Amino acid sequence: EPEVTQTPSHQVTQMGQEVILRCVPISNHLYFYWYRQILGQKVEFLVSFYNNEISEKSEIFDDQFSVERPDGSNFTLKIRSTKLEDSAMYFCASTAVGGETQYFGPGTRLLVL
Amino acid sequence: GESVGLHLPTLSVQEGDNSIINCAYSNSASDYFIWYKQESGKGPQFIIDIRSNMDKRQGQRVTVLLNKTVKHLSLQIAATQPGDSAVYFCAEPFNAGGTSYGKLTFGQGTILTVHP
């Protein structure tokens, strides 16, 4: 069964460093999303992406965040200068054109020290 | 608004019992809802969805009920098993029209613990 994959599963970084979180959406999907979940809290929307551009972004997704579809399979989330409060699980999700269900990856646990 | 909330943060049941997890929403225009299951250390996993033109939808051991009058939906799990232990979220696409192309708004989540 096709699934969304994410790498790395865990990332530890120093405050101020740049991190890139990677996702491989399901192959025939064209809508992509990033969400984050701070420990013990609900899943929060960050950004949606379609046709090589951002469709929508939340207040959390400030200038320190960016997304990219560098090739036909990867979808990345970059945090330019990490802050302590960026520590969270980051989930990638994708949806097929005409589909309604967002399928989530297993997440990347980011810890900023 | 885009509020999707849950009544109870935790639910403990015995193996074999039926479980009912509740969710309230505030936007009367909402017309599509999704239940996700999240196991520890994993991403949300789709369980079942329902459109507002339905009151009930059944899957394998799960049933979702939608009461539009009181803006409430519930997830019923029959014969709950230890493997059902997880956090359960109701979620709602923010876009009017119920497509999932937009962001999902998640509720806080209910922790279901199934005791053998």
Side-chain angles (χ1 to χ4, degrees):
Chain A
E1 182 176 330
E3 58 184 18
V4 177
T5 60
Q6 291 184 242
T7 55
S9 58
H10 294 78
Q11 174 90 47
V12 180
T13 190
Q14 294 291 323
M15 186 171 57
Q17 295 296 303
E18 174 183 286
V19 296
I20 298 176
L21 310 182
R22 303 180 191 279
C23 168
V24 178
I26 295 173
S27 62
N28 63 340
H29 287 188
L30 295 178
Y31 291 81
F32 314 117
Y33 310 84
W34 283 101
Y35 293 81
R36 79 172 186 189
Q37 184 178 32
I38 294 171
L39 186 64
Q41 299 186 20
K42 62 183 178 181
V43 178
E44 301 175 287
F45 170 81
L46 291 178
V47 66
S48 58
F49 189 87
Y50 171 69
N51 199 25
N52 283 321
E53 61 182 24
I54 291 173
S55 306
E56 186 177 3
K57 58 184 180 180
S58 71
E59 294 176 351
I60 303 168
F61 195 89
D62 60 22
D63 292 344
Q64 293 302 308
F65 291 85
S66 62
V67 290
E68 189 179 22
R69 179 101 161 132
D71 53 44
S73 60
N74 290 284
F75 178 52
T76 62
L77 174 69
K78 181 192 290 186
I79 309 175
R80 290 189 182 82
S81 179
T82 50
K83 302 185 289 287
L84 295 176
E85 53 265 37
D86 293 328
S87 296
M89 282 287 286
Y90 287 81
F91 295 106
C92 173
S94 68
T95 302
V97 175
E100 293 176 316
T101 303
Q102 292 186 25
Y103 293 90
F104 284 77
T108 293
R109 183 173 297 280
L110 176 65
L111 178 60
V112 183
L113 302 176
Chain B
E2 52 181 273
S3 171
V4 179
L6 294 169
H7 290 305
L8 298 174
T10 61
L11 177 64
S12 293
V13 299
Q14 291 296 125
E15 181 177 2
D17 288 350
N18 296 331
S19 301
I20 300 176
I21 299 169
N22 297 303
C23 182
Y25 63 95
S26 59
N27 184 0
S28 57
S30 300
D31 60 359
Y32 179 62
F33 303 92
I34 310 165
W35 281 99
Y36 283 91
K37 171 187 180 183
Q38 186 179 22
E39 296 176 274
S40 180
K42 298 184 179 180
Q45 178 187 3
F46 172 86
I47 302 174
I48 193 168
D49 57 1
I50 189 167
R51 289 204 170 277
S52 60
N53 61 352
M54 303 171 70
D55 296 324
K56 179 181 179 179
R57 191 170 187 201
Q58 287 185 296
Q60 187 176 15
R61 282 199 307 116
V62 295
T63 300
V64 56
L65 299 177
L66 177 62
N67 185 330
K68 295 179 285 293
T69 302
V70 296
K71 296 198 283 281
H72 178 272
L73 68 159
S74 65
L75 177 70
Q76 300 179 2
I77 305 173
T80 316
Q81 303 167 0
D84 294 327
S85 294
V87 180
Y88 289 81
F89 296 94
C90 58
E92 174 188 7
F94 180 59
N95 288 352
T99 69
S100 191
Y101 302 164
K103 66 181 181 182
L104 288 175
T105 299
F106 284 82
Q108 193 67 33
T110 291
I111 302 170
L112 175 65
T113 303
V114 182
H115 301 283

